[in-house]
Amino acid sequence: MTSLRSATLLILAAGFLLVGCGNGGGNRNAAAAGQKVYRHSMDQAPVSVDPTQAATVYSNFIVLNVYDTLYAYKYLARPYELKPNLAAGMPEVSADGLTYTIRLKPGVSYTDDESFADGIGREVVAEDFIYSIKRHFDPRSLSQGAWVWQGRIEGLDEWKEAGSDYAAPVSGLQAPDRHTLQIRLTRPYPQLVHTLTMGFSALVPREAVEHYGREFSIRPVGSGPFKLRRFDTARAALIRNPRFRSEPVDLAAEGYDPTLHDGLGLEAIAGRAPPFVDRVDVDFITEDAARWNSFSKGNEIQFAKIPTEQFDTVLSSKTPPTMKTELEGRYKMLDLVAPEVIFNTFNMDFEEFGYNTDPVRAGRNKALRCAVIKAFDWNQRNERFYNGIAKIYPGIIPPAVPEFDAGMSQVSVIRDVEGARKLLADNGWDSDTLPKLVYGVAASVKQRQLFEQFRGFLSEIGYPSEKVVLEQFATFGDISKAWKQSKLPFVSKSWGLDYPDAENVLQLFYGPNGSPGSNDANFADPEYDRLYEQSAVMQPGPERTAIYRRMNEILVDNCVAIMGLSRTNLLMWHDNVIGYPDRNIVGGFWLRYVDLRQE
Amino acid sequence: MELAQFAIRKLIGGIPLVIGVTFISFVLMVYFGPDKTYELLGKNPTPEQIEEVRHQLGYDRPFFVRYADYLQELVTLDFGHSDSTGERVSGLLVRTIPVSLALTAPGFILGNALGIVLALIAAYHRGGWIDKLIMGGAVVGMSISFLIAIVAFQLIFSSSYGLNLFPVRGWDVYSLADYVRYVTVPTLATVFVALGYNTRFYRAVIVEEMTRDHVRTARAFGARPWKLLYKNILKNSLIPIITRIMFSIPLVVISGSLLIESYFGIPGVGKVTYDAITTGDQPVLKAVVGLTAVLFVFTLLLTDIMYKMVDPRVSLK
């Protein structure tokens, strides 16, 4: 027994010793040292903070705080407006729309890091941008962002085909001097400046990439307002970059509107240079209950997306979302329609629903798809799963973009059970002839519930329940593989917008983007494709908007998908936090403007 | 000398076990696990890009070449980089295993120690109300899911709706006081659930020992209850107790506790392992599986040595 006791003591001692190693956090220590510490929360954790992998909202959130992008969106202006960030001004665009000349702000430095020769961060120069974009076209980077510029920048695809040799130049990416950048396009790309706000386009120093190798993905070295001090599955700790350039906030230029932003305390940051807090801790909390407990505790996280099960605790009214009066003074709340579209699409590759060489059957298939769309009850879906506060709209263009058509016919989102039954009967569909419909999901309780509701909708129009079949995939990777290989006849999906331009969602149905591209519907309509190609090179304006809307109508007329819904997120933060925490499109860019009111 | 020879024999004998475990797990990873390719692709990939990612991940190499690499990685303890985060796997484990160990050790030790004590009391009062009370409590602990226990304990001890005594989440540990703050509620939840299983198991073992002749003899000699329980019963019940405790250790060390780590925001190896499984991060999975197998071999060795320590009749030959 003596030996056992010794072993127990040894394990205990080892445990304490190991714990004593710490983890680089230091939230309480920072607070104790009188530093301003803002504790944010996110519902998922990023896996990498390398700009080449900034494909998720979560990665982007951190990347945009550690790195600089040439352009950004104004903090408060809605609809979203572009502004220069690392660039000295908006780009000079040649008359043919093919050459963009961008000047960088001089004197901007990377944070100090051991990867630099003397440990002191050097100046950010135009060559850094060229190097950063080239990385997306180097297969070793495993980039998830190459699609943004693929086929768009002169010589870049050829550079990749030639072996991704960084010493070799790319004709479309030139730096005439240290602070001037020239981008030459293969064809006009009106969304280019939007792509230069994305985390993908962040400027990275070559020295750091080479110094850290693959671990560059967790050891970022940028010129943004914060430095990453800790990053793991539970938290990212960001500390103020002491060398961040001084750029006092001009509230009016950021889109401040007293009628919209009154009460947020934003006036306190006017004329001051961000960042305003010494440290930001971003806690990654996937469990709603844990997130709410931490938020409502008072001394832990100061920001949370409100879990749906807490709506009754927080809201006195859902339409519009209104916070209970007893919570005023303790919290602030914001309801934001997410720039996304949730939709279900038929895969037109499957001849039992989609394209069919037999024109009669093709017609019957269209009637079948239209009947399924008529059977779908968006309002019930909204009530059951989104607390009745999501936005429902016809077509694929969501309210978050300026091309949204509020006047579009609502017929495609209004349930019509009788109309659906009639369509089926008129086209010779009955319980015997209706084909099996396989509904694929990544396994989860919620996805199962969504499926059961969908099956219930269809049973009301006479679709036999045994013919509406659930296929579950263990992981997102597995279902993504099925989508990319065009193996699922019915795809249930949500798409977050990369930039506020309807082109980003309309490309989801562009024929050449078929599997393994983003067109999971494998929709291929000559008129649609022609209009897409026509609009793809047009600058924003009424003519382009008209084309976008026509494309939207084509999708609705062809009954290719059940569209669409955008969730409304309810965001809450502690009253002493000064900020406008909208991460939509803007990503984590707004974090630099967060301040804390001293109690 | 006898011990050294035994250890060497045992470790050599463990090699086929490690090869078997790693081979089966690698087959499962490669042919049945998630395809990481589709996690790493951009939104609008081309078939060429899919092939590039597969190549970068090494998926286009022959199975046995990849398996041979795996064995080499296990021998050199160099598993390369995580396919998800890019972090060196060795660094990842060195960073997270101590956290999980510090998190789970108190619950593991208390759960077993209290389980033994309660089992001794229950067995001594077998059939009486104390036995029924303890066994009833054990059934309650076994019946409540770990998840519910975690949520309930968090609500009761950490949230503003309850006692608000401890942090809901975090792991900013710089002193013993910090450690106690962060580890208390997870430990209470762990002990609450583990105690039920442990107590029932240990009670069964101890009850069996109590029926032995030597215990009856000791009682006849008028041995005092605690001396009887400790010297005559517990000492002679140690073989199954050691077996249970020892074989739990590799899982506690390597696997951590996903639920505890997720709910309390603790950056341990449990969440890392879970993420690796669900995303098909093979370098991390290979390390976790391989190291667990190796740890089991060492545990087998240690267990045999401990058998010898507690029971001199056990031969190491």
Side-chain angles (χ1 to χ4, degrees), chain A residues 397-398 400-406 500-503 540-541 544-545 548-549:
Chain A
I397 300 178
V401 294
E403 297 88 2
F404 175 68
D405 184 2
D501 186 321
E503 180 270 346
R544 192 183 74 166
T545 299
Y548 281 175
R549 290 177 176 174

Side-chain angles (χ1 to χ4, degrees), chain B residues 10-307:
Chain B
K10 198 82 182 168
L11 290 176
I12 291 171
I15 292 173
L17 174 75
V18 173
I19 290 176
V21 169
T22 52
F23 184 78
I24 292 169
S25 60
F26 196 61
V27 168
L28 292 173
M29 277 179 227
V30 171
Y31 295 108
F32 301 96
D35 190 335
K36 186 76 185 167
T37 312
Y38 293 86
E39 293 267 350
L40 295 175
L41 286 170
K43 278 184 166 179
N44 211 347
T46 61
E48 294 75 33
Q49 283 167 337
I50 293 174
E51 283 312 306
E52 281 167 14
V53 173
R54 288 183 61 78
H55 177 70
Q56 291 298 322
L57 293 172
Y59 287 3
D60 52 356
R61 298 164 65 223
F63 174 84
F64 281 102
V65 173
R66 293 169 65 189
Y67 180 65
D69 284 351
Y70 179 15
L71 292 180
Q72 188 187 345
E73 288 165 3
L74 192 57
V75 170
T76 58
L77 292 180
D78 180 0
F79 294 93
H81 295 259
S82 158
D83 285 338
S84 296
T85 64
E87 186 173 4
R88 244 195 132 65
V89 176
S90 51
L92 182 77
L93 296 180
V94 164
R95 177 168 61 78
T96 55
I97 286 178
V99 173
S100 286
L101 195 56
L103 173 68
T104 51
F108 180 73
I109 293 166
L110 280 174
N112 280 291
L114 287 175
I116 292 169
V117 171
L118 288 174
L120 282 169
I121 296 170
Y124 190 77
H125 297 282
R126 189 181 175 194
W129 67 270
I130 293 178
D131 182 25
K132 285 175 184 164
L133 187 71
I134 292 172
M135 284 304 99
V139 170
V140 170
M142 289 165 71
S143 309
I144 295 176
S145 94
F146 194 26
L147 180 61
I148 291 173
I150 289 170
V151 173
F153 276 82
Q154 193 176 68
L155 209 60
I156 294 166
F157 291 102
S158 303
S159 80
S160 56
Y161 301 105
L163 299 171
N164 208 354
L165 294 172
F166 297 95
V168 170
R169 53 184 291 110
W171 191 255
D172 295 320
V173 177
Y174 291 92
S175 64
L176 186 60
D178 289 339
Y179 178 58
V180 171
R181 277 183 76 236
Y182 285 107
V183 88
T184 301
V185 183
T187 299
L188 288 174
T190 308
V191 170
F192 179 78
V193 173
L195 208 50
Y197 292 96
N198 289 342
T199 306
R200 280 199 75 86
F201 176 83
Y202 295 139
R203 178 187 172 278
V205 170
I206 291 163
V207 162
E208 193 181 335
E209 193 61 35
M210 285 179 81
T211 60
R212 306 254 187 231
D213 289 341
H214 70 93
V215 176
R216 198 177 303 116
T217 309
R219 271 190 165 146
F221 275 105
R224 291 162 64 179
W226 282 111
K227 193 179 172 191
L228 181 80
L229 284 171
Y230 173 67
K231 205 169 177 181
N232 298 89
I233 299 171
L234 182 60
K235 272 192 166 181
N236 288 298
S237 309
L238 278 178
I239 296 286
I241 292 174
I242 286 172
T243 308
R244 182 179 171 89
I245 292 173
M246 290 302 287
F247 281 87
S248 305
I249 288 175
L251 295 175
V252 171
V253 172
I254 301 286
S255 304
S257 173
L258 166 70
L259 287 175
I260 289 274
E261 289 172 17
S262 292
Y263 270 81
F264 290 95
I266 296 168
V269 73
K271 183 78 167 66
V272 167
T273 305
Y274 174 78
D275 289 344
I277 292 168
T278 56
T279 64
D281 191 345
Q282 288 185 7
V284 175
L285 279 178
K286 285 191 289 185
V288 169
V289 172
L291 292 177
T292 306
V294 170
L295 207 53
F296 260 110
V297 171
F298 279 99
T299 303
L300 279 170
L301 169 65
L302 270 177
T303 307
D304 284 345
I305 293 170
M306 288 181 83
Y307 287 165

Side-chain angles (χ1 to χ4, degrees), chain A residues 407-469:
Chain A
M408 192 172 174
S409 166
Q410 300 289 309
V411 170
S412 65
V413 287
I414 295 172
R415 192 170 200 220
D416 179 8
V417 173
E418 284 313 310
R421 284 176 179 275
K422 185 172 183 309
L423 254 181
L424 290 179
D426 290 350
N427 287 276
W429 292 113
D430 56 35
S431 56
D432 293 329
T433 55
L434 280 166
K436 190 166 86 171
L437 176 58
V438 179
Y439 184 111
V441 297
S444 76
V445 173
K446 186 173 180 186
Q447 289 299 331
R448 174 99 206 186
Q449 291 169 337
L450 289 166
F451 162 75
E452 292 296 353
Q453 190 193 47
F454 175 70
R455 182 152 70 171
F457 293 157
L458 292 197
S459 73
E460 288 182 45
I461 63 165
Y463 214 119
S465 291
E466 65 274 15
K467 287 194 169 180
V468 185
V469 180

Side-chain angles (χ1 to χ4, degrees), chain A residues 565-579:
Chain A
L565 178 142
S566 298
R567 287 168 287 196
T568 298
N569 290 324
L570 292 187
L571 312 174
M572 262 179 110
W573 61 100
H574 289 188
D575 191 60
N576 67 325
V577 177
I578 297 168

Side-chain angles (χ1 to χ4, degrees), chain A residues 198-217:
Chain A
M198 296 166 74
F200 288 139
S201 71
L203 280 75
V204 302
R206 184 170 182 169
E207 300 93 317
V209 175
E210 290 175 351
H211 179 78
Y212 291 114
R214 286 195 63 185
E215 288 210 336
F216 181 69
S217 54

